[in-house]
Amino acid sequence: MVTIIAAVAQNRAIGFENKLLYWLPNDLKRFKALTTGHTIVMGRRTFESLPKGALPNRRNVVLTRGAQSFPGAETFPDLASALASCAADEEVYVIGGASVYEQALPLADRLCLTEIADTPAQADAFFPDYSDWTPVWQEAHETDERHAQAYTFIDYIRR
C-alpha cells in the first residue's frame, strides 16, 4: 500500500525554503506513529531538511538523480524504481517534497493529511490537488498552548 502523508495549509501550501510551514507537535507524533516500522520515500531535498538525517526505525528511501549517498538511506533514481524495490505487502509512506507528491498521487492508495486552518504568508512548495479523493476518517483539533493553528487529521481514499 502506498500512502502519502503531509501537513497541508488551506491553499495546499506545504513548505517554504525547504522547511515545514508549521510546528504542530501532535502532527509530528501522528507522523511518527504511522510511519515507524515502515518504508518512507522522499526526495533529496526533503532528506537534507531532516535535522538528524535518516529517521530511525524506518526504511529510508531517497530519490536522487545524483550519485551521492545518504547515511542510513537507500537511493533510487526515480519513484518507479523505488516502489519496485518494495515488497507487495510493504507499507510505503511518501513524505515529500512537492514534486515527489505530484508523482506519487496517481499511484497512492491513501492520503493521511493534516489540514491546517491557516494560509501562510509565504510558501514555495504546494501539495497537488486532491479534490477528487474521498475523506473516510477525520479528527478535528482546536488551537491550544502547543498548537497555534487549528488542524484536522483527515484520511482519504480515491473515489
Side-chain angles (χ1 to χ4, degrees):
M1 175 182 287
V2 175
T3 300
I4 293 175
I5 188 166
V8 182
Q10 289 175 323
N11 62 348
R12 297 193 337 263
I14 57 172
F16 181 66
E17 295 181 345
N18 208 32
K19 292 183 179 63
L20 294 176
L21 295 171
Y22 302 98
W23 179 255
L24 298 169
N26 286 346
D27 174 59
L28 298 174
K29 281 184 197 169
R30 180 176 191 240
F31 176 90
K32 183 177 180 180
L34 289 172
T35 63
T36 295
H38 302 295
T39 297
I40 54 173
V41 176
M42 69 201 91
R44 174 189 54 82
R45 290 184 53 202
T46 297
F47 184 87
E48 291 172 348
S49 75
L50 299 174
K52 297 178 182 172
L55 297 178
N57 305 313
R58 284 157 264 211
R59 178 184 175 209
N60 286 249
V61 172
V62 178
L63 306 180
T64 180
R65 289 182 203 78
Q68 69 267 50
S69 64
F70 300 91
E74 300 170 46
T75 60
F76 292 90
D78 54 50
L79 182 60
S81 58
L83 293 177
S85 78
C86 298
D89 62 346
E90 200 166 338
E91 288 223 21
V92 178
Y93 286 85
V94 176
I95 69 166
S99 66
V100 178
Y101 286 142
E102 187 80 40
Q103 296 169 53
L105 194 63
L107 309 171
D109 302 295
R110 179 175 67 153
L111 307 177
C112 291
L113 301 182
T114 300
E115 294 184 352
I116 302 156
D118 186 62
T119 300
Q122 293 182 297
D124 59 12
F126 294 85
F127 196 82
D129 178 40
Y130 58 98
S131 59
D132 59 341
W133 288 68
T134 302
V136 292
W137 175 84
Q138 62 184 28
E139 180 181 290
H141 298 266
E142 296 302 318
T143 59
D144 61 29
E145 64 280 351
R146 297 176 64 221
H147 299 84
Q149 293 83 19
Y151 59 95
T152 304
F153 298 140
I154 305 183
D155 291 353
Y156 291 87
I157 58 171
R158 193 181 304 282
R159 280 188 197 161

